[in-house]
Amino acid sequence: MKKLLNVLYVTKPEYYLRKEGRNVVVSLDGKRVARYPVHILRQIVCFNYMGVSPELMQMCMEENVAISFFTPYGKYCGRVLGASYGNIYTRKEQYQLAESEKSLDFVRNIIYAKAYNSRKILIRGKLDHKDQVDVKSLQEAIDMIKQLMLEIKSTSNKDSIRGIEGTIARIYFSVLDELILKQRKDFYFIERSKRPPMDRFNALLSFLYAMLTNSIAAALEGVGIDAYAGFFHTDRPGRVGMALDIVEEMRAFMVDKFCLSLINLNRIDKNCFEVKENGACLLNEKGRNTVLSYWNKREQEEIEHPFIGEKMKIGLLPHVQAQLLNAYIRGDLQSYPPFMIGG
């Protein structure tokens, strides 16, 4: 099993990154703040304006350490990568598969898994907090999602699946607010708002969906898959369609559940956010540091992967799914096995 290396998050806008020997150095006003051996890192995620030295970029490309750039509020900007580890045959198969009827099976699987995992979150919330939630509305959503899951398997085209997926998402989000149990004056969820997020819960979702998408894109590129050529999400310049495909199966487990725990365990509060003039609600520096600290800790937690049957750290999940997708594209697996919450 692949070792889970560290992700270096650079959250202060004034920090600058440079190379010192075989180390990554974080500096402020020319003075060294921290130093990390490059071999312990798998990725550097920057929220800083000052940037990264060309020498450090070269070393990271040589060591296969991706450098990803975000605005201080979590909007993805781009990524620096070394040479691809894939081969042209894998990518040719991926492109051909994207245009063929066979990719419909992949799409059915990931959207079924999305529905399954979303439903699991609602079931767990209903059982664990039956005295604090509207059990009736949760059960109705659980039952409706189950019915729609049956329809997924009989769909004959991707547009039909997109329609079902949209309905499932609306049902799921319509009751997600029930699972916010603490800090009710400061955290609530009415509907999904993205560009920009208009409340604190949406701010958390948007920030962490971006983090997850970036991790999945890096994992896909690490095994030679084109992160931009998806089977479910339509092609669009700059859109990592395949990474977004894989996000669908993971979002409820990796992000939604995590956001609820941050709030319900009082690990984050209203002081971690700021509201802009246009009403946009965004994580501030304190909020980013808090969220990323707990995100790193969660990546170290272990689960048993339902398909490979091995215990693994949660942070390795994007890598494992990328390997399984690679095997499916090559024809070593008859169908792609999406991640589904066990238990």
Side-chain angles (χ1 to χ4, degrees):
M1 178 61 69
K2 183 181 175 70
K3 182 181 178 183
L4 181 60
L5 299 176
N6 299 295
V7 177
L8 172 60
Y9 293 103
V10 183
T11 58
K12 282 189 177 295
E14 302 83 9
Y15 280 164
Y16 180 71
L17 275 69
R18 59 183 173 83
K19 175 180 177 290
E20 187 177 280
R22 302 304 290 177
N23 299 294
V24 177
V25 170
V26 182
S27 60
L28 178 64
D29 296 330
K31 297 180 180 179
R32 187 171 70 194
V33 175
R35 182 175 64 182
Y36 305 91
V38 70
H39 70 268
I40 71 169
L41 302 174
R42 77 176 188 274
Q43 189 175 178
I44 301 171
V45 178
C46 298
F47 298 88
N48 59 329
Y49 288 129
M50 299 303 291
V52 178
S53 73
E55 292 82 7
L56 178 59
M57 287 188 185
Q58 180 182 1
M59 180 176 72
C60 288
M61 287 188 285
E62 292 170 351
E63 297 290 336
N64 195 34
V65 176
I67 307 176
S68 300
F69 296 94
F70 291 78
T71 69
Y73 297 106
K75 181 181 178 182
Y76 175 71
C77 299
R79 184 165 46 245
V80 175
L81 297 164
S84 172
Y85 280 80
N87 61 62
I88 187 62
Y89 301 109
T90 299
R91 295 204 172 195
K92 279 185 174 180
E93 288 291 336
Q94 179 184 353
Y95 303 144
Q96 290 172 4
L97 193 56
E99 300 300 325
S100 74
E101 287 295 319
K102 188 180 177 185
S103 63
L104 182 61
D105 177 64
F106 168 89
V107 172
R108 287 194 194 103
N109 287 353
I110 61 166
I111 301 306
Y112 186 90
K114 175 181 180 176
Y116 176 91
N117 291 335
S118 299
R119 187 170 178 268
K120 274 278 191 177
I121 297 297
L122 300 183
I123 291 172
R124 190 77 264 164
K126 187 196 76 167
L127 294 175
D128 289 349
H129 310 289
K130 58 186 177 183
D131 296 329
Q132 297 174 267
V133 300
D134 184 343
V135 172
K136 184 175 181 291
S137 64
L138 284 174
Q139 189 59 54
E140 287 175 352
I142 290 165
D143 293 340
M144 284 190 286
I145 292 173
K146 182 178 181 180
Q147 184 59 43
L148 289 165
M149 288 168 64
L150 299 175
E151 295 181 24
I152 292 171
K153 293 298 183 180
S154 60
T155 49
S156 58
N157 60 75
K158 293 179 185 178
D159 284 339
S160 296
I161 297 178
R162 290 187 182 101
I164 294 172
E165 183 272 334
T167 303
I168 289 170
R170 284 192 295 274
I171 294 169
Y172 171 69
F173 282 137
S174 73
V175 294
L176 193 59
D177 184 69
E178 284 293 323
L179 304 186
I180 302 175
L181 308 174
K182 301 285 182 67
Q183 307 184 75
R184 291 292 301 173
K185 288 184 179 179
D186 302 320
F187 292 92
Y188 51 84
F189 185 80
I190 299 172
E191 62 181 358
R192 183 76 177 104
S193 57
K194 305 176 185 178
R195 302 179 188 89
M198 302 303 289
D199 58 70
R200 296 183 182 95
F201 195 81
N202 269 297
L204 282 174
L205 291 180
S206 292
F207 182 80
L208 288 164
Y209 285 156
M211 293 297 101
L212 178 59
T213 301
N214 178 59
S215 294
I216 293 171
L220 291 171
E221 289 160 349
V223 299
I225 294 173
D226 187 341
Y228 290 84
F231 295 166
F232 178 62
H233 287 83
T234 53
D235 293 339
R236 186 185 300 170
R239 174 194 254 183
V240 282
M242 182 56 79
L244 291 170
D245 285 359
I246 304 301
V247 166
E248 296 296 353
E249 66 191 71
M250 292 190 200
R251 66 169 74 230
F253 173 74
M254 291 290 288
V255 174
D256 303 357
K257 181 181 177 183
F258 177 69
C259 290
L260 291 168
S261 71
L262 285 176
I263 298 165
N264 292 337
L265 295 175
N266 295 309
R267 290 172 172 170
I268 196 165
D269 59 34
K270 65 180 181 180
N271 297 317
C272 292
F273 301 83
E274 61 182 81
V275 179
K276 299 300 209 179
E277 290 182 1
N278 64 352
C281 186
L282 303 167
L283 281 162
N284 57 25
E285 184 179 329
K286 175 187 175 184
R288 290 193 300 275
N289 288 333
T290 300
V291 170
L292 291 172
S293 174
Y294 283 111
W295 182 258
N296 269 336
K297 290 176 182 177
R298 181 143 191 268
E299 283 194 323
Q300 300 297 325
E301 295 174 11
E302 287 195 341
I303 57 169
E304 182 172 314
H305 193 282
F307 182 78
I308 65 175
E310 293 182 23
K311 282 194 171 182
M312 52 167 281
K313 292 186 176 180
I314 288 175
L316 284 175
L317 189 54
H319 175 81
V320 171
Q321 294 307 126
Q323 292 281 16
L324 292 172
L325 178 57
N326 196 29
Y328 169 62
I329 291 172
R330 293 197 315 263
D332 297 336
L333 289 175
Q334 187 173 4
S335 63
Y336 168 73
F339 174 77
M340 298 172 72
I341 299 173

